[in-house]
């Protein structure tokens, strides 16, 4: 394990040698890199720990000071909640954190209100990933804000209802024209089935489960959750200690 950790740290340092961030995700990467280095040295070298922690804080402050200049994707980590998590870790409860949280809430509500022509599995999956991350954050730290949480959940439930037929077929895929990975784009000429936690329909199952666990009530939440859960049960079969996807071509 020590060798693995050392290898990770060496790779981070190698990456940092020529790292020049040009946008929000890349700048936030720098915050994370320095923070990881600080944690790595926390028990062995307090000077390096403090040094890298200050580097991380400096980069985070640059983001906060230039927030309006960035085109920030609503990802669960590369988005606004990523900033909120880092502020919580580095500064704790503070006014800056509250400002970011309110910014997250306001921006995500605008996105929901303005979102039209939804196509869940062909180009809009980052949107779901982002909202899943935001809801996860608010359910964890601010489950008293029920109106906001329920509005977001209702929006996700409505999206699922609009495209509910997709789980009855083999169409849970990212079409080739929307694939950004050049290797995948070449390999999967028709696209590929996407059931990942980052970009797949499991985003629904995860956030609905989290809401249920925290006793959040929402119209059709249980019904939609059960439909997705049934889909996953039917999608996979257990054989010889291996889960195999059901063959929809049969």
């Amino acid at each position: 394990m020590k060798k693995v950790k050392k290898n990770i740290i060496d790779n981070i340092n190698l990456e940092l040698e020529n790292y020049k961030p040009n946008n929000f995700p890349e700048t936030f990467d720098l915050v994370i890199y320095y923070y990881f280095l600080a944690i790595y040295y926390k028990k062995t070298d307090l000077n390096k720990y403090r040094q890298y922690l200050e580097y991380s804080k400096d980069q985070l402050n640059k983001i906060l000071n230039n927030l309006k200049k960035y085109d920030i994707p609503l990802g669960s980590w590369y988005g606004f909640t990523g900033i909120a998590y880092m502020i919580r870790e580095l500064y704790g409860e503070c006014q800056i954190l509250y400002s970011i949280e309110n910014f997250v809430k306001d921006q995500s509500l605008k996105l929901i209100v303005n979102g039209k022509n939804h196509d869940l599995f062909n180009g809009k999956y980052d949107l779901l990933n982002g909202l899943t991350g935001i809801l996860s954050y608010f359910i964890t730290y601010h489950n008293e804000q029920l109106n906001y949480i329920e509005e977001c959940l209702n929006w996700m439930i409505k999206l699922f209802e609009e495209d509910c037929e997709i789980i009855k077929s083999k169409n849970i895929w990212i079409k080739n024209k929307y694939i950004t990975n050049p290797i995948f784009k070449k390999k999967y000429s028709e696209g590929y089935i996407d059931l990942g936690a980052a970009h797949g329909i499991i985003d629904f199952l995860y956030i609905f489960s989290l809401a249920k666990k925290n006793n959040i009530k929402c119209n059709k939440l249980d019904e939609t959750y059960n439909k997705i859960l049934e889909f996953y049960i039917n999608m996979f079969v257990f054989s010889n200690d291996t889960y195999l996807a059901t063959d929809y071509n049969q």
Side-chain angles (χ1 to χ4, degrees):
M1 181 60 70
K2 288 184 179 180
K3 290 183 178 180
V4 173
K5 289 182 179 180
K6 181 65 166 54
N7 186 51
I8 293 173
I9 296 303
D10 288 343
N11 282 317
I12 290 177
N13 282 315
L14 185 63
E15 179 74 12
L16 287 173
E17 287 182 6
N18 299 304
Y19 201 84
K20 296 179 180 180
N22 296 308
N23 52 43
F24 168 78
E26 292 176 0
T27 302
F28 195 66
D29 277 343
L30 203 54
V31 178
I32 300 302
Y33 283 151
Y34 285 136
Y35 180 70
F36 281 168
L37 289 172
I39 296 303
Y40 177 75
Y41 288 111
K42 187 174 184 179
K43 294 182 178 180
T44 60
D45 192 328
L46 286 179
N47 288 330
K48 286 187 177 181
Y49 165 70
R50 296 188 185 99
Q51 179 184 27
Y52 284 121
L53 196 61
E54 285 303 313
Y55 288 165
S56 183
K57 288 182 178 180
D58 287 344
Q59 292 301 321
L60 182 58
N61 286 333
K62 287 182 180 179
I63 292 178
L64 297 176
N65 292 333
N66 296 279
L67 192 59
K68 294 183 179 179
K69 296 181 181 180
Y70 290 109
D71 179 18
I72 305 177
L74 288 174
S76 63
W77 185 249
Y78 283 138
F80 300 122
T81 45
I83 297 177
Y85 281 119
M86 287 302 296
I87 292 175
R88 277 186 171 274
E89 185 66 28
L90 295 176
Y91 298 109
E93 298 277 351
C94 60
Q95 187 57 48
I96 296 177
L97 176 62
Y98 304 145
S99 298
I100 290 295
E101 289 173 343
N102 289 331
F103 188 52
V104 168
K105 186 168 69 172
D106 292 343
Q107 292 299 314
S108 55
L109 284 175
K110 287 180 182 178
L111 191 63
I112 291 173
V113 171
N114 296 329
K116 296 180 180 178
N117 301 320
H118 305 296
D119 187 354
L120 300 190
F121 304 98
N122 292 302
K124 296 295 184 183
Y125 37 81
D126 278 336
L127 173 60
L128 292 176
N129 182 36
L131 189 58
T132 300
I134 291 170
L135 276 175
S136 177
Y137 179 91
F138 273 86
I139 290 174
T140 301
Y141 294 109
H142 291 293
N143 59 16
E144 78 282 357
Q145 298 193 25
L146 283 177
N147 290 337
Y148 168 70
I149 293 172
E150 288 176 0
E151 186 165 356
C152 292
L153 288 172
N154 283 327
W155 185 77
M156 294 184 75
I157 291 171
K158 184 177 180 181
L159 286 182
F160 178 80
E161 287 179 337
E162 291 175 357
D163 279 7
C164 64
E165 291 299 315
I166 202 165
I167 68 167
K168 297 180 180 179
S169 69
K170 61 180 180 181
N171 294 325
I172 305 176
W173 60 37
I174 303 301
K175 292 182 180 179
N176 181 266
K177 64 180 180 179
Y178 294 109
I179 298 175
T180 57
N181 186 310
I183 298 176
F184 285 5
K185 194 172 185 67
K186 182 178 180 180
K187 184 176 181 179
Y188 304 109
S189 60
E190 298 296 325
Y192 60 90
I193 292 176
D194 190 348
L195 301 176
H199 293 146
I201 195 174
I202 199 171
D203 278 338
F204 287 96
L205 189 60
Y206 165 71
I207 205 62
F208 292 165
S209 298
L210 189 62
K212 287 167 62 66
K213 182 180 179 180
N214 285 270
N215 297 315
I216 295 174
K217 307 297 181 182
C218 191
N219 188 35
K220 295 187 178 180
L221 176 62
D222 289 341
E223 176 185 344
T224 308
Y225 170 84
N226 289 333
K227 286 181 180 179
I228 300 174
L229 184 61
E230 182 181 3
F231 161 75
Y232 266 83
I233 292 174
N234 292 331
M235 182 69 179
F236 293 92
V237 294
F238 183 78
S239 177
N240 296 326
D241 297 326
T242 304
Y243 283 98
L244 301 174
T246 302
D247 186 357
Y248 277 110
N249 293 317
Q250 291 181 352

